[in-house]
Amino acid sequence: MSSEHPPSGGPREALERAEYVVTAEIGPPVDTVAGVPVHTVSTVGLPVLKGDETGHPGLRVAATPAPGPDSAPVDPLVGVRRAVLFLVRDERGGHWRTLVPGVLPVTGDGGPLPDHWPGQGDGQR
């Protein structure tokens, strides 16, 4: 199993596997790389959980498709305004990309990392 796709463990396990974990304001897709949508995100003034603490106003992040409700791949950043992103460096493209799962939408104050991804094993929607 590749380190790029963690098992179905929770966000704490993804934190260990990711190279860069940061809270980000998510922008709309601006490009594609190998058919994967690329978003420009801002990390300026937002919490960093792992990695470079310099705020980036225009970090390029390829949103690795995640399985949707009908198992069709979906862009995990569509409709998300702010999220904790669990990222690895794409060696071929030189940009960052999300793990699968690797997007934890932030609601309210954010708080500590939950034990489970939203909607998986925690009784949430």
Side-chain angles (χ1 to χ4, degrees):
M1 182 176 297
S2 167
S3 66
E4 299 165 0
H5 298 283
S8 61
R12 289 188 178 109
E13 187 174 326
L15 177 68
E16 293 177 22
R17 294 179 176 276
E19 295 172 48
Y20 189 33
V21 181
V22 64
T23 306
E25 294 287 339
I26 312 301
V30 295
D31 198 0
T32 59
V33 172
V36 174
V38 176
H39 295 255
T40 299
V41 306
S42 174
T43 64
V44 175
L46 297 171
V48 174
L49 284 78
K50 181 178 182 180
D52 178 12
E53 293 194 21
T54 303
H56 300 278
L59 192 67
R60 291 175 51 87
V61 173
T64 305
D70 60 358
S71 298
V74 297
D75 179 345
L77 296 179
V78 166
V80 176
R81 187 179 74 77
R82 183 180 282 186
V84 176
L85 303 178
F86 297 79
L87 305 171
V88 292
R89 177 68 82 176
D90 186 300
E91 296 170 10
R92 292 174 292 179
H95 55 272
W96 293 99
R97 64 185 170 79
T98 58
L99 294 175
V100 177
V103 177
L104 184 62
V106 174
T107 57
D109 65 359
L113 287 180
D115 291 330
H116 301 280
W117 297 100
Q120 294 182 1
D122 59 359
Q124 295 180 2
R125 53 186 165 92

Short mmCIF file of all heavy atoms in Angstrom, two decimals, residues 69 78-80 82 104-108 116-125:
data_model
loop_
_atom_site.label_atom_id
_atom_site.label_comp_id
_atom_site.label_asym_id
_atom_site.label_seq_id
_atom_site.Cartn_x
_atom_site.Cartn_y
_atom_site.Cartn_z
N PRO A 69 -20.85 9.24 -2.96
CA PRO A 69 -21.92 8.37 -2.45
C PRO A 69 -22.22 7.19 -3.36
O PRO A 69 -22.55 6.11 -2.90
CB PRO A 69 -23.14 9.29 -2.35
CG PRO A 69 -22.59 10.67 -2.37
CD PRO A 69 -21.28 10.63 -3.08
N VAL A 78 -14.78 20.66 -3.64
CA VAL A 78 -15.94 21.37 -4.17
C VAL A 78 -16.92 21.65 -3.03
O VAL A 78 -17.27 20.76 -2.25
CB VAL A 78 -16.63 20.56 -5.28
CG1 VAL A 78 -18.00 21.12 -5.61
CG2 VAL A 78 -15.77 20.56 -6.53
N GLY A 79 -17.32 22.91 -2.92
CA GLY A 79 -18.28 23.31 -1.90
C GLY A 79 -17.68 23.51 -0.51
O GLY A 79 -18.41 23.78 0.43
N VAL A 80 -16.37 23.35 -0.38
CA VAL A 80 -15.71 23.51 0.92
C VAL A 80 -15.06 24.89 0.95
O VAL A 80 -14.32 25.26 0.04
CB VAL A 80 -14.65 22.41 1.14
CG1 VAL A 80 -13.90 22.63 2.44
CG2 VAL A 80 -15.30 21.04 1.11
N ARG A 82 -13.41 26.25 3.98
CA ARG A 82 -12.18 26.15 4.79
C ARG A 82 -12.04 24.70 5.24
O ARG A 82 -13.02 24.07 5.62
CB ARG A 82 -12.25 27.06 6.00
CG ARG A 82 -10.96 27.03 6.84
CD ARG A 82 -11.02 27.93 8.03
NE ARG A 82 -10.80 29.30 7.59
CZ ARG A 82 -10.68 30.33 8.43
NH1 ARG A 82 -10.78 30.14 9.73
NH2 ARG A 82 -10.48 31.54 7.97
N LEU A 104 -10.52 17.67 5.64
CA LEU A 104 -11.36 17.73 6.83
C LEU A 104 -11.98 19.12 6.90
O LEU A 104 -11.33 20.07 7.32
CB LEU A 104 -10.52 17.45 8.08
CG LEU A 104 -11.23 17.38 9.40
CD1 LEU A 104 -12.24 16.24 9.42
CD2 LEU A 104 -10.21 17.18 10.52
N PRO A 105 -13.24 19.26 6.42
CA PRO A 105 -13.88 20.59 6.46
C PRO A 105 -13.90 21.14 7.87
O PRO A 105 -14.12 20.40 8.84
CB PRO A 105 -15.29 20.31 5.94
CG PRO A 105 -15.15 19.07 5.12
CD PRO A 105 -14.10 18.25 5.82
N VAL A 106 -13.64 22.44 7.99
CA VAL A 106 -13.63 23.10 9.29
C VAL A 106 -14.98 23.77 9.50
O VAL A 106 -15.43 24.53 8.65
CB VAL A 106 -12.50 24.16 9.36
CG1 VAL A 106 -12.58 24.95 10.64
CG2 VAL A 106 -11.14 23.50 9.21
N THR A 107 -15.59 23.44 10.61
CA THR A 107 -16.84 24.09 11.00
C THR A 107 -16.66 24.63 12.40
O THR A 107 -15.93 24.04 13.21
CB THR A 107 -18.03 23.10 10.97
OG1 THR A 107 -17.73 22.01 11.84
CG2 THR A 107 -18.28 22.58 9.57
N GLY A 108 -17.27 25.74 12.70
CA GLY A 108 -17.13 26.32 14.03
C GLY A 108 -15.70 26.70 14.32
O GLY A 108 -14.99 27.23 13.47
N HIS A 116 -12.45 10.25 13.84
CA HIS A 116 -12.96 9.69 12.59
C HIS A 116 -13.17 10.80 11.58
O HIS A 116 -13.42 11.94 11.95
CB HIS A 116 -14.29 8.97 12.82
CG HIS A 116 -14.20 7.86 13.79
ND1 HIS A 116 -13.71 6.61 13.48
CD2 HIS A 116 -14.52 7.80 15.11
CE1 HIS A 116 -13.74 5.84 14.55
NE2 HIS A 116 -14.22 6.53 15.56
N TRP A 117 -13.13 10.43 10.29
CA TRP A 117 -13.51 11.37 9.25
C TRP A 117 -15.00 11.62 9.36
O TRP A 117 -15.74 10.71 9.75
CB TRP A 117 -13.16 10.81 7.86
CG TRP A 117 -11.69 10.60 7.70
CD1 TRP A 117 -11.01 9.44 7.81
CD2 TRP A 117 -10.71 11.61 7.42
NE1 TRP A 117 -9.66 9.65 7.62
CE2 TRP A 117 -9.46 10.99 7.37
CE3 TRP A 117 -10.78 12.98 7.20
CZ2 TRP A 117 -8.28 11.67 7.10
CZ3 TRP A 117 -9.60 13.68 6.93
CH2 TRP A 117 -8.37 13.01 6.89
N PRO A 118 -15.47 12.81 9.06
CA PRO A 118 -16.91 13.08 9.14
C PRO A 118 -17.72 12.06 8.35
O PRO A 118 -17.38 11.72 7.22
CB PRO A 118 -17.05 14.47 8.51
CG PRO A 118 -15.72 15.10 8.72
CD PRO A 118 -14.73 13.97 8.60
N GLY A 119 -18.75 11.53 9.02
CA GLY A 119 -19.62 10.57 8.36
C GLY A 119 -19.12 9.14 8.38
O GLY A 119 -19.77 8.24 7.87
N GLN A 120 -17.95 8.88 8.98
CA GLN A 120 -17.40 7.52 9.02
C GLN A 120 -17.22 7.07 10.46
O GLN A 120 -16.31 7.51 11.14
CB GLN A 120 -16.05 7.45 8.31
CG GLN A 120 -16.14 7.71 6.84
CD GLN A 120 -14.78 7.58 6.18
OE1 GLN A 120 -13.78 7.28 6.83
NE2 GLN A 120 -14.74 7.81 4.89
N GLY A 121 -18.09 6.21 10.92
CA GLY A 121 -17.91 5.55 12.21
C GLY A 121 -18.12 6.44 13.41
O GLY A 121 -17.75 6.06 14.52
N ASP A 122 -18.71 7.61 13.24
CA ASP A 122 -18.89 8.48 14.39
C ASP A 122 -20.34 8.90 14.58
O ASP A 122 -20.62 9.77 15.39
CB ASP A 122 -18.00 9.72 14.27
CG ASP A 122 -18.28 10.53 13.02
OD1 ASP A 122 -19.15 10.12 12.23
OD2 ASP A 122 -17.64 11.57 12.83
N GLY A 123 -21.24 8.32 13.82
CA GLY A 123 -22.65 8.64 13.96
C GLY A 123 -23.05 9.96 13.31
O GLY A 123 -24.19 10.37 13.40
N GLN A 124 -22.11 10.65 12.68
CA GLN A 124 -22.44 11.90 12.01
C GLN A 124 -22.92 11.63 10.61
O GLN A 124 -22.75 10.55 10.07
CB GLN A 124 -21.23 12.84 11.96
CG GLN A 124 -20.78 13.29 13.32
CD GLN A 124 -19.58 14.22 13.24
OE1 GLN A 124 -19.11 14.55 12.16
NE2 GLN A 124 -19.08 14.62 14.37
N ARG A 125 -23.47 12.67 9.98
CA ARG A 125 -23.98 12.54 8.63
C ARG A 125 -22.95 12.12 7.64
O ARG A 125 -21.89 12.22 7.52
CB ARG A 125 -24.63 13.83 8.17
CG ARG A 125 -23.73 15.01 8.31
CD ARG A 125 -24.49 16.28 7.97
NE ARG A 125 -23.73 17.41 8.45
CZ ARG A 125 -22.85 18.07 7.73
NH1 ARG A 125 -22.64 17.77 6.48
NH2 ARG A 125 -22.19 19.07 8.23
#
